[in-house]
Amino acid sequence: MTHPFLDLPPLSAADFAAIEDGVARLLETRQDVLVMQGEALLPLEGAIRSAAGPGTTALNVITGPYGQTFGSWLRDCGATVIDLSVPFHTAVTAAQVREAFDAHPEIDFVSLVHAEAATGNTNPVAGIGAVVREHGALFYLDAVASVGAEPVLPDAWGVDLCVIGAQKAMGGPAGVSAVSVSERAWARMAANPHAPRRSYLSLLDWKERWLDGGRAALPHAPAQLEMLALQACLERIEADGPQAVMRRHRTAALATRAGAVALGGGLEPYVYEEAHAAPVATTLRVPSDVVASELVAGALAGDGTLPLAAGGGALAAEMIRVNHYGVDATVGAVQASLAALGAGLAERGRTVDLEGARRAVESAWR
């Protein structure tokens, strides 16, 4: 049989390198960029295990579930971990990071999630990066959810290891990801005897077999379809203009917050302050007598294409995520999501204003 996804010409080393260059342009970075052949958890874990080990003192900022995961990886590497946790409905501040350095001047590694799609918050990376630079620590950033929805600028912010994924605001595939690596980060990895080698997690293997060879010969068979999809979404963002793509996501977030407040029925933004709310997705808190996962299930039973999900784990009872990213960063997706949630709340005896929500979304979109 024939199919457009089959029998494609091989992806060359030059093609692969050109896609990496596209990622570098998106991040406005001069650092080395590696496109990794797996979901973003691959470079997220690989970067930590490559750069941290016994002797590392890490400040791990927790504003959601991924921050918790990073702390576990760091401890597993043998690092001493100092957790800085803030409530999931808010953001960490540069002042809080500075206080952590004042209390623990031995900190030499900082891990942070830019935007936590799972909780709907975003952190002020530029200000935090300035504090990290003052103290000379290595700065590791998870920008998987933020890239495409808001600026991600490793060079300007002093980020040494910046991991992105294509499956959210970039509107691309989940099976490929990327990491930008500073010279300081490479030096830290080279000096770490515990860094993975001859391993799928090894960034040093990529450096030696790919970058140091001038990106002339691929060290493996590339994930052809995922790479072509990543190339396509990079080209689409360049064609639309990154600022336009980010503006669309920010507008979707503002419209969702405004529409939820106008809808009523006890629905309210989970992240209290608008400045702390991530553009990639909006989280909503349901009334105490409503189970979020049940409300979402009812909405999806009526329309399975809605970008709705309940919170993970313990948050499934109280939180709803409106995932207005990628192709769903539209006025139609936001209005349809709120209308479905409003109908479910009305069925549960809550008073809602569907027309008011619709007008609020339209007003925010202008």
Side-chain angles (χ1 to χ4, degrees):
M1 63 173 291
T2 60
H3 191 281
F5 292 163
L6 299 176
D7 303 318
L8 296 171
L11 192 71
S12 70
D15 294 329
F16 199 104
I19 295 169
E20 288 183 334
D21 292 343
V23 174
R25 287 193 299 274
L26 178 65
L27 299 180
E28 298 183 30
T29 184
R30 300 181 65 141
Q31 296 178 2
D32 290 326
V33 169
L34 293 173
V35 171
M36 307 291 284
Q37 305 293 276
E39 199 271 336
L41 283 172
L42 171 62
L44 285 169
E45 183 174 359
I48 281 181
R49 295 193 181 277
S50 294
T56 300
T57 300
L59 175 65
N60 180 51
V61 181
I62 301 175
T63 59
Y66 279 98
Q68 295 171 328
T69 297
F70 300 160
S72 298
W73 287 341
L74 286 161
R75 291 182 174 89
D76 192 50
C77 290
T80 299
V81 181
I82 299 156
D83 286 328
L84 171 55
S85 300
V86 301
F88 289 178
H89 62 258
T90 187
V92 73
T93 66
Q96 289 172 309
V97 173
R98 188 181 299 278
E99 290 169 3
F101 273 108
D102 290 343
H104 302 278
E106 69 276 18
I107 291 169
D108 61 1
F109 185 99
V110 175
S111 54
L112 174 71
V113 179
H114 187 183
E116 285 267 11
T119 49
N121 55 29
T122 192
N123 292 300
V125 182
I128 292 169
V131 175
V132 176
R133 281 197 303 274
E134 286 177 23
H135 292 83
L138 206 70
F139 193 10
Y140 162 101
L141 183 69
D142 171 357
V144 174
S146 55
V147 67
E150 54 188 307
V152 176
L153 303 169
D155 294 11
W157 297 342
V159 178
D160 296 288
L161 291 159
C162 181
V163 177
I164 68 165
Q167 69 268 31
K168 289 189 168 63
M170 290 179 67
V176 67
S177 49
V179 54
S180 67
V181 186
S182 72
E183 289 299 324
R184 290 191 338 131
W186 285 130
R188 179 76 68 94
M189 293 179 207
N192 179 12
H194 301 277
R197 300 309 303 269
R198 295 168 297 281
S199 165
Y200 204 55
L201 291 172
S202 176
L203 271 63
L204 286 172
D205 288 356
W206 269 98
K207 182 179 189 302
E208 293 178 0
R209 298 178 62 191
W210 172 242
L211 295 177
D212 291 351
R215 301 193 297 179
L218 284 164
H220 58 76
Q224 179 99 329
L225 294 179
E226 286 79 3
M227 290 297 294
L228 292 174
L230 174 60
Q231 181 182 41
C233 77
L234 287 167
E235 291 173 349
R236 182 170 59 188
I237 291 171
E238 287 188 347
D240 291 346
Q243 294 302 320
V245 175
M246 288 187 281
R247 185 165 55 250
R248 188 163 65 241
H249 283 84
R250 169 54 67 187
T251 302
L254 294 173
T256 304
R257 288 177 70 88
V261 171
L263 179 66
L267 204 63
E268 60 185 26
Y270 184 85
V271 177
Y272 295 169
E273 295 188 31
E274 184 179 293
H276 296 167
V280 67
T282 298
T283 47
L284 302 172
R285 190 185 303 273
V286 300
S288 59
D289 60 342
V290 174
V291 177
S293 59
E294 295 176 358
L295 187 62
V296 168
L300 292 177
D303 183 354
T305 68
L306 295 173
L308 294 173
L315 296 175
E318 64 183 38
M319 179 197 286
I320 291 170
R321 288 204 328 262
V322 184
N323 295 319
H324 45 66
Y325 52 70
V327 296
D328 288 316
T330 66
V331 62
V334 171
Q335 287 184 331
S337 297
L338 291 175
L341 295 175
L345 289 168
E347 290 174 0
R348 289 163 173 79
R350 312 290 301 196
T351 300
V352 297
D353 184 356
L354 294 174
E355 179 59 22
R358 186 191 65 78
R359 288 197 304 268
V361 170
E362 287 187 351
S363 177
W365 214 273
R366 295 195 185 101

